[in-house]
Amino acid sequence: MLTRVPAPVITASSLTKRYGEFTAVDGIDFEVTAGESFGLLGPNGAGKSTTMRMISAVSRRTGGDLQVLGLDPETHGPQIRSQLGVVPQEDNLDPDMRARDNLIMYGRYFGLPRAVCRERAEELLEFAQLTDKAGAKVDDLSGGMKRRLTIARGLMNTPQIFMLDEPTTGLDPQARHVLWDRLFRLKEAGTTLVITTHYMDEAEQLCDRLIVVDHGAIMAEGSPADLIRRYSSREVLEVRFGSSRNAEVADDVAAIGALAERVEVLPDRLLVYTPDGERALEEVVGRGLHPTTSLVRRSSLEDVFLRLTGRSLVD
């Protein structure tokens, strides 16, 4: 029995965007299927937001092909935008309006009847855990509340594709986790999510599949777990010997053999990629090398990016 593969809701082929001599997006290819949580992971300036703007039909591409919901954004922009929910990097709520009214007004932009907007607004305020703040002015909300309200607003038109550009930038850890919970609920309900982020833990938590982007090009593609298996080790030993000594002892640390699959020298520490971090640390200490601090952790997408580009995501 053949299994039907869902048709992609977004297809990009050799997608390119240039600003004069600068190439922001350099001929990338990817597909997003219905109900998938798809991520674009990379540092600031990697081309993630530019790609999102082309998908959202607010920026014309320079080259390549792009289909969103089977339509070309350059010829069917209004039709595509009517089916998208968009959460921009910066909250652009109306500060002079109350939380509920921000949602109702946004729904009216899509031609929804006022009664439908009111009902939908109440549902989304509850979803965003903002029911008790429905009558509050935007300026009286915390950063996390504003972000949740922006997400609620982006869902007013019941979009087929929900696009979030750096959704948790600037939020404290507690607010990030509350926001992640709301996005998990959308994902479980089958909403297609397209998320840009430079937080590797966010990508690991939220994305079924992602592309790692740097300087407008795709460096790797796959699920978070697949990328970590492909490009990194099971564990990472972080050791610090002092900024003046880290590079000096790197060869000695690498001499522990099979327990050091790879050693990366960073300005403030050494990263030892290893199948067993505790044993690797024992070997390092057994050779008379005594780090000032040490940490054993599992590999992350940060390590994947470092392997692919030679630099940290937060550089």
Side-chain angles (χ1 to χ4, degrees):
M1 180 177 177
L2 294 176
T3 301
R4 174 172 289 185
V5 178
V9 293
I10 301 173
T11 302
S13 177
S14 300
L15 182 62
T16 302
K17 179 67 176 183
R18 298 189 188 92
Y19 298 97
E21 297 298 316
F22 174 69
T23 301
V25 177
D26 194 7
I28 63 175
D29 304 284
F30 64 89
E31 290 185 346
V32 181
T33 58
E36 182 176 29
S37 181
F38 181 81
L40 293 86
L41 175 68
N44 292 329
K48 307 185 303 297
S49 296
T50 301
T51 300
M52 294 282 268
R53 286 194 292 272
M54 288 189 283
I55 294 171
S56 302
V58 295
S59 178
R60 296 176 66 87
R61 64 186 181 270
T62 305
D65 295 311
L66 180 62
Q67 295 283 312
V68 180
L69 299 171
L71 303 172
D72 186 333
E74 295 195 3
T75 56
H76 294 81
Q79 296 96 315
I80 290 172
R81 288 192 291 271
S82 71
Q83 300 300 318
L84 299 181
V86 178
V87 175
Q89 276 192 38
E90 301 292 334
D91 295 323
N92 55 358
L93 301 161
D94 189 327
D96 297 322
M97 299 177 67
R98 302 186 186 278
R100 179 191 289 113
D101 294 334
N102 263 274
L103 302 187
I104 293 172
M105 182 63 70
Y106 192 74
R108 296 290 288 163
Y109 290 148
F110 290 91
L112 299 176
R114 189 173 295 276
V116 173
C117 289
R118 284 197 293 266
E119 180 181 357
R120 183 74 175 144
E122 296 305 322
E123 293 173 355
L124 289 170
L125 286 167
E126 182 178 357
F127 167 79
Q129 296 181 317
L130 291 171
T131 299
D132 61 336
K133 298 293 183 180
K137 289 284 189 72
V138 166
D139 281 345
D140 295 330
L141 302 178
S142 68
M145 290 176 182
K146 290 177 183 177
R147 207 63 181 140
R148 297 205 304 275
L149 183 60
T150 303
I151 286 176
R153 186 189 62 179
L155 294 168
M156 280 295 293
N157 61 322
T158 316
Q160 292 192 49
I161 303 173
F162 196 39
M163 305 179 66
L164 303 106
D165 196 1
E166 306 285 358
T168 65
T169 294
L171 298 186
D172 62 62
Q174 182 179 5
R176 290 182 74 207
H177 282 281
V178 171
L179 196 57
W180 286 355
D181 176 69
R182 301 299 96 183
L183 296 179
F184 271 126
R185 292 170 185 262
L186 290 174
K187 179 179 170 181
E188 289 173 348
T191 302
T192 303
L193 302 179
V194 181
I195 302 167
T196 76
T197 182
H198 59 264
Y199 294 129
M200 56 280 190
D201 56 342
E202 184 159 273
E204 288 185 55
Q205 288 284 335
L206 298 178
C207 299
D208 301 317
R209 189 169 56 88
L210 57 89
I211 53 177
V212 180
V213 184
D214 190 33
H215 297 300
I218 294 175
M219 311 301 293
E221 179 177 354
S223 71
D226 287 342
L227 290 172
I228 290 169
R229 278 195 297 269
R230 199 184 317 162
Y231 294 104
S232 193
S233 57
R234 190 170 70 89
E235 293 185 338
V236 180
L237 168 63
E238 297 190 7
V239 286
R240 289 179 168 86
F241 295 90
S243 56
S244 62
R245 291 196 64 226
N246 287 329
E248 293 176 10
V249 301
D251 288 341
D252 294 327
V253 171
I256 64 175
L259 286 172
E261 296 176 1
R262 193 172 89 256
V263 176
E264 291 279 358
V265 181
L266 300 184
D268 62 333
R269 65 195 185 278
L270 298 180
L271 302 182
V272 183
Y273 292 91
T274 175
D276 189 330
E278 294 296 342
R279 282 187 57 204
L281 179 57
E282 290 174 5
E283 284 289 326
V284 169
V285 174
R287 289 173 178 267
L289 303 171
H290 298 284
T292 56
T293 65
S294 62
L295 170 69
V296 176
R297 60 171 174 80
R298 69 179 183 89
S299 283
S300 71
L301 288 171
E302 173 84 14
D303 301 300
V304 171
F305 191 81
L306 185 61
R307 174 72 179 272
L308 292 171
T309 69
R311 62 193 182 92
S312 168
L313 265 170
V314 294
D315 281 353

